[in-house]
Amino acid sequence: MSSTASGKTSGANGTWRNWGGNVAARPARQVAPASVEELAAAVRRAREDGLKVKAVGTGHSFTSIAATDGVLIRPQLLTGIRRIDREAMTVTVESGTPLKRLNAALAREGLSLTNMGDIMEQTVSGATSTGTHGTGRESASIAAQIKGLELVTADGSVLCCSAQENPEVFTAARTGLGALGVVTAITFAVEPLFLLTAREEPMPLERVLAEFDQLWAENEHFEFYWFPHTENTTIKRNNRSLGSERPVGRLAGWFEDEFLSNGVFQVAQWVGRAAPATVPAIARISSRALSARSYTDIPYKVFTSPRRVRFVEMEYAVPRAALVETVRELKAMVERSNLRVGFPVEVRTAPADDITLSTASGRDSAYVAVHMYRGTPYQAYFTAAERIFTAHEGRPHWGKVHTRDAEYLARVYPRFAEFTALRDRLDPDRLFQNDYLRRVLGA
């Protein structure tokens, strides 16, 4: 479960706010370049004026990774597909393109990404720069599907990188946190459009945990949602299908995905925020509201779903072997506390990849995401959850709430020094620095 609508600029003072509403910034100026040349010129001008530079997509990060009091670059005019190479099976897309537009355009061309997250509102550069992922046994994050990158570096030059060209930059910049430059275009690997069959059903938490290794091994894409204060989960299994399309019916889709998952859930969150004592009872009802269903459709219509209820989120990647113990500890913590948690906990997996600061870098990973409704105090819950995650050498999602710093991150990322050395080379004067990067990467 991740965020949906976009970050925004409000008021005459030019205050920028993220989607979750927990981060605000007042940049000295905002620019929306219409070309790579205009973007490079904006970077050079900022450098001459002594201003820092950050690019922001649709504001779906809950951290201040995009916040700046310098120049805020908005890439909404850098959109669209540059080219499709059917021989190499790649697509090159402008950095400001929303994933939903990319997915729809690829489908029209009979193509698809191999895997994706569960929302598609983010820009391609924002999603990959922060390590956005879905769930997969063999298929990894969106960034792991990148075959080439173009970025504007601190001196205003345009750098192209791939496994063959500037490979050391390519290894790091696929999940670059905005620290190495401003991404202007991304080349993704694609494949012929395929069908996925989704099976969603309730399952007791203890059964899910007891059979987790088997459920993971038997399904290409497995995830589950546990409802705190209950013993209940909803599991989702997505596997490739050779059959015909059997999409969710329009009425059934509206009822379950909009009315129940967004409309009724929104009301439940309002009630829970106003009267926290009702949360456990609401959780028991919510965990039984969705019935089992199965459907077959093209990938983005199966992987993604609308998320209109706003929230704040923390997510950590732990070693996949530590997942069951981590969830059991999280459940025990909620049960012995006075916390009232109205949002389900989401669990997904990813195979190890070779991206320097990917949360799955070098190790098979499981993701545990905790959420609280926007406007509800979340610090006590997130602090207690983070204590559990870090005890298992968890790696925080770069775009979600966490309190870790460079000292901790250097311990859990074997290639951390490799990334910071590259940053020293590409941005020695820290043009792309902000408070968040100072904390997580060091000064």
Side-chain angles (χ1 to χ4, degrees), residues 67-146:
T68 186
D69 58 3
V71 176
L72 190 67
I73 294 178
R74 312 294 296 271
Q76 61 259 37
L77 300 180
L78 293 172
T79 62
I81 291 176
R82 282 190 188 178
R83 64 182 172 274
I84 294 173
D85 185 335
R86 291 185 182 273
E87 188 174 329
M89 288 303 283
T90 61
V91 58
T92 300
V93 62
E94 304 280 353
S95 62
T97 307
L99 283 165
K100 61 183 176 183
R101 285 181 56 189
L102 174 60
N103 287 333
L106 288 175
R108 287 194 297 270
E109 297 286 342
L111 301 169
S112 177
L113 296 173
T114 297
N115 198 1
M116 58 194 77
D118 59 6
I119 65 158
M120 53 179 179
E121 307 299 325
Q122 315 102 308
T123 61
V124 293
S125 57
T128 55
S129 294
T130 56
T132 295
H133 61 90
T135 189
R137 186 183 58 205
E138 285 101 14
S139 52
S141 69
I142 303 176
Q145 298 168 68
I146 293 176

Side-chain angles (χ1 to χ4, degrees), residues 61 63 65 122 125-133 174-178 357 359 396-400:
S61 290
T63 61
I65 190 167
Q122 315 102 308
S125 57
T128 55
S129 294
T130 56
T132 295
H133 61 90
R174 282 176 287 171
T175 299
L177 319 185
L357 290 188
T359 45
H397 189 299
W398 297 108
K400 299 177 185 180

Side-chain angles (χ1 to χ4, degrees), residues 121-304:
E121 307 299 325
Q122 315 102 308
T123 61
V124 293
S125 57
T128 55
S129 294
T130 56
T132 295
H133 61 90
T135 189
R137 186 183 58 205
E138 285 101 14
S139 52
S141 69
I142 303 176
Q145 298 168 68
I146 293 176
K147 293 296 182 183
L149 275 174
E150 176 186 271
L151 70 160
V152 172
T153 57
D155 62 2
S157 61
V158 179
L159 186 68
C160 295
C161 53
S162 66
Q164 294 75 38
E165 186 178 13
N166 298 305
E168 73 289 352
V169 178
F170 176 69
T171 299
R174 282 176 287 171
T175 299
L177 319 185
L180 305 177
V182 179
V183 175
T184 50
I186 298 174
T187 298
F188 290 104
V190 292
E191 60 177 297
L193 194 63
F194 55 94
L195 293 175
L196 283 172
T197 293
R199 290 173 56 203
E200 301 172 7
E201 62 183 308
M203 185 177 286
L205 176 64
E206 270 310 309
R207 181 181 167 192
V208 174
L209 296 181
E211 299 178 10
F212 177 76
D213 288 341
Q214 180 182 348
L215 288 163
W216 170 82
E218 290 178 349
N219 295 283
E220 292 174 76
H221 309 275
F222 174 72
E223 63 186 300
F224 70 90
Y225 296 90
W226 165 59
F227 296 80
H229 312 295
T230 80
E231 303 296 326
N232 305 325
T233 78
T234 294
I235 69 167
K236 184 173 182 180
R237 294 177 264 201
N238 297 333
N239 291 287
R240 295 194 184 215
S241 172
L242 298 176
S244 56
E245 285 187 38
R246 289 184 296 107
V248 177
R250 184 172 296 181
L251 180 60
W254 174 83
F255 182 74
E256 297 219 332
D257 295 330
E258 290 291 351
F259 181 70
L260 290 179
S261 295
N262 286 294
V264 172
F265 190 58
Q266 174 75 73
V267 174
Q269 296 305 311
W270 286 337
V271 173
R273 184 171 66 182
T278 65
V279 167
I282 291 171
R284 287 191 291 273
I285 296 168
S286 297
S287 68
R288 297 190 181 100
L290 296 176
S291 57
R293 64 176 181 173
S294 181
Y295 53 95
T296 302
D297 215 328
I298 60 175
Y300 82 85
K301 294 183 179 180
V302 174
F303 283 130
T304 70

Side-chain angles (χ1 to χ4, degrees), residues 284-329:
R284 287 191 291 273
I285 296 168
S286 297
S287 68
R288 297 190 181 100
L290 296 176
S291 57
R293 64 176 181 173
S294 181
Y295 53 95
T296 302
D297 215 328
I298 60 175
Y300 82 85
K301 294 183 179 180
V302 174
F303 283 130
T304 70
S305 54
R307 299 284 184 229
R308 310 198 197 287
V309 181
R310 301 212 177 197
F311 52 85
V312 179
E313 180 179 3
M314 169 183 282
E315 182 182 60
Y316 267 73
V318 299
R320 198 183 71 233
L323 180 276
V324 170
E325 184 180 354
T326 300
V327 174
R328 286 206 169 106
E329 290 174 4

Side-chain angles (χ1 to χ4, degrees), residues 229 280 330-341 380-381 384:
H229 312 295
L330 189 65
K331 182 174 185 286
M333 178 273 289
V334 171
E335 288 174 347
R336 68 173 178 262
S337 73
N338 295 319
L339 295 169
R340 295 294 177 261
V341 182
Y381 177 37

Side-chain angles (χ1 to χ4, degrees), residues 373-425:
Y373 181 51
R374 190 170 78 169
T376 303
Y378 62 84
Q379 287 85 354
Y381 177 37
F382 284 14
T383 297
E386 190 172 41
R387 195 173 295 123
I388 293 168
F389 300 149
T390 54
H392 293 284
E393 297 190 332
R395 298 169 178 171
H397 189 299
W398 297 108
K400 299 177 185 180
V401 174
H402 70 92
T403 66
R404 299 299 90 187
D405 60 14
E407 182 182 0
Y408 173 86
L409 295 165
R411 292 202 305 271
V412 296
Y413 281 97
R415 301 172 69 181
F416 188 84
E418 185 182 320
F419 187 95
T420 55
L422 180 64
R423 182 186 184 217
D424 288 342
R425 177 160 70 82

